[in-house]
Amino acid sequence: MPELPEVETTRRGIAPHLTGQVVSRVVVRQPRLRWPVPADLGDRLCGQTIQAVGRRAKYLLLGLGNGTLILHLGMSGSLRIVPASTPSGKHDHVDLILAGGECLRLTDPRRFGAVIWCEAPERHTLLSGLGPEPLGEAFDGGYLFERSRNKGVTIKQFIMDSKVVVGIGNIYANEALFRAGIHPARAAGRIARARHERLAAAIRCVLEAAIAQGGTTLRDFVGGDGRPGYFAQELQVYGKPGEPCPRCATPIRQIQLGQRSTYFCPRCQT
DNA sequence: CTAAGGACCTGTCGGC
DNA sequence: TGCCGACAGGTCCTTA
């Protein structure tokens, strides 16, 4: 579920509870996530102080003295801070128990998430090939334009490709393209520079707005404090086939692109 | 090299 | 009420 705004919301929610805290115990109830949770995770983490809580793309990075814990929420994951005494539920797979009495709990029904230990995260293969952050300096319309030349993929798949730009999942790809007035199936390489500029601005705008609302909760996303995100009420096209376009009232259309549901206004988006 | 599809999981919803 | 298929916020990996 979580795209960049949800991961960033999670980061902001948990960081104040984690920074400076010592890990006192690790409980792994279900090690079978996207990749097996390392059996020696407790040995690595116990006694270490969490120095920083960062984010790269949709990965959360807990900086410890001796390395970095990389967390990914997959499709259905969430992280919450709870009292260490809180009984665990069916899908509460991993707990990091802190010396202060709180607990960072990973919940993930579908288990597409990941818990990875590594000593040099910037060189980790999962992170090293990633494109720029959409809210960072290196990302703009000129970058999108240059990267997309001679590319036949659809613009939607292009902006969802983490080698191009990170953090944009199915919800925000649909929303950004609507706001930019670009048809999602248009070939990325055949879009003029000015329209890439509009798209880059729309991506930035929609992600920032979503972060400000605490992310989008469709079903089960909760931030670090256990509260849902409120951006769902701002969605213009995602999940709304047949409903009138908010700009021109033409019914929103749904198609499949790269095996993902795609929503757009056939009149506003060209 | 790119593109397309399968794979990994569980839960929920709509239709019959 | 029960069963079955389709679908869901991600993304790596294999195959063509």
Side-chain angles (χ1 to χ4, degrees), chain A residues 126-181:
Chain A
L126 285 176
L127 302 180
S128 61
L130 295 174
E133 290 287 328
L135 299 180
E137 300 262 310
F139 177 76
D140 60 17
Y143 167 81
L144 271 187
F145 176 77
E146 299 297 344
R147 272 301 295 258
S148 63
R149 291 311 87 186
N150 301 318
K151 294 284 196 275
V153 280
T154 68
I155 187 62
K156 178 168 181 254
Q157 290 171 289
F158 184 71
I159 60 172
M160 289 179 71
D161 181 349
S162 64
K163 294 189 293 301
V164 174
V165 57
V166 301
I168 303 165
N170 203 32
I171 295 178
Y172 300 110
N174 281 296
E175 293 297 308
L177 287 164
F178 172 76
R179 278 156 222 244

